[in-house]
Amino acid sequence: MNEQETQVCPWCQTEIVWDPEIGPEEVCPHCLNELGDYRSVSIHGHDQPHDHEADDEDSGEEADSDIDYSDYEEEEELDPYQEKVQALLDTQLEAPECPTCGELMLRGGQVRMAGHGFDPASSELLPEPFLPDILEMDLYVCPSCFKTETYLAEPGRIRMKGTLSK
């Protein structure tokens, strides 16, 4: 029986066929990963067809067609909370990523700071403060870790750009 040895690079998943006269490759020619016993997978192939059904009958094991793979679904079903979060995210124009866990954040509303709660900074370099006296910020909340973040609302962004561009 003529046996041919091949390797599969664990990094780029490329099959590496080597010449029996030269021997196995030490480095993957595609990604230059070092190949060795602990980093490589060897596959022993045979030139003649192999009867898998005879092996299943002889070993008493179930054939793959008899195995129930229903527990290994590709997509998890969303629970009602996750479904509602996804539906809300689909309606938002902006959805920043949570700086803590990386999930997309839900817009919770708007925070308004005016009068005694906010005093805009002034500078000699500007004719007026670059933020208005009444400051509006959009509040976002992470549906996973519940961290909140605020961002300057659109009117404040426009004013800031205009004032700093003068």
Side-chain angles (χ1 to χ4, degrees):
M1 191 177 297
N2 187 8
E3 187 174 306
Q4 177 185 4
E5 181 145 348
T6 60
Q7 290 178 307
V8 176
C9 175
W11 293 101
C12 67
Q13 303 298 314
T14 304
E15 182 177 343
I16 304 166
V17 180
W18 49 272
D19 185 4
E21 293 177 11
I22 298 173
E25 297 283 342
E26 293 180 14
V27 175
C28 174
H30 301 282
C31 70
L32 303 177
N33 175 52
E34 291 183 32
L35 301 172
D37 291 339
Y38 71 97
R39 291 186 180 168
S40 301
V41 177
S42 296
I43 301 171
H44 300 283
H46 301 284
D47 289 341
Q48 297 182 359
H50 191 70
D51 188 8
H52 294 290
E53 291 177 13
D55 284 352
D56 290 340
E57 290 172 6
D58 292 344
S59 65
E61 296 177 9
E62 289 184 346
D64 285 344
S65 62
D66 296 338
I67 298 174
D68 179 21
Y69 291 103
S70 61
D71 291 340
Y72 304 102
E73 294 179 14
E74 288 185 22
E75 292 185 22
E76 287 185 28
E77 290 185 28
L78 300 176
D79 64 22
Y81 177 77
Q82 292 170 326
E83 285 179 6
K84 189 64 74 171
V85 165
Q86 188 58 50
L88 289 170
L89 286 170
D90 291 342
T91 64
Q92 290 182 195
L93 296 176
E94 294 180 324
E97 283 188 10
C98 176
T100 303
C101 69
E103 292 290 323
L104 294 178
M105 299 179 86
L106 294 171
R107 185 176 184 276
Q110 201 167 63
V111 176
R112 178 174 284 186
M113 299 173 84
H116 62 279
F118 176 69
D119 186 25
S122 59
S123 171
E124 296 173 2
L125 300 173
L126 300 172
E128 60 183 339
F130 63 87
L131 293 176
D133 293 338
I134 299 173
L135 183 65
E136 295 175 342
M137 295 183 297
D138 293 325
L139 175 85
Y140 289 88
V141 63
C142 177
S144 295
C145 69
F146 305 103
K147 177 172 179 53
T148 59
E149 288 287 318
T150 54
Y151 296 92
L152 193 56
E154 189 66 27
R157 294 178 194 178
I158 293 169
R159 176 171 174 168
M160 181 176 166
K161 286 182 179 180
T163 303
L164 294 176
S165 297
K166 292 180 184 175

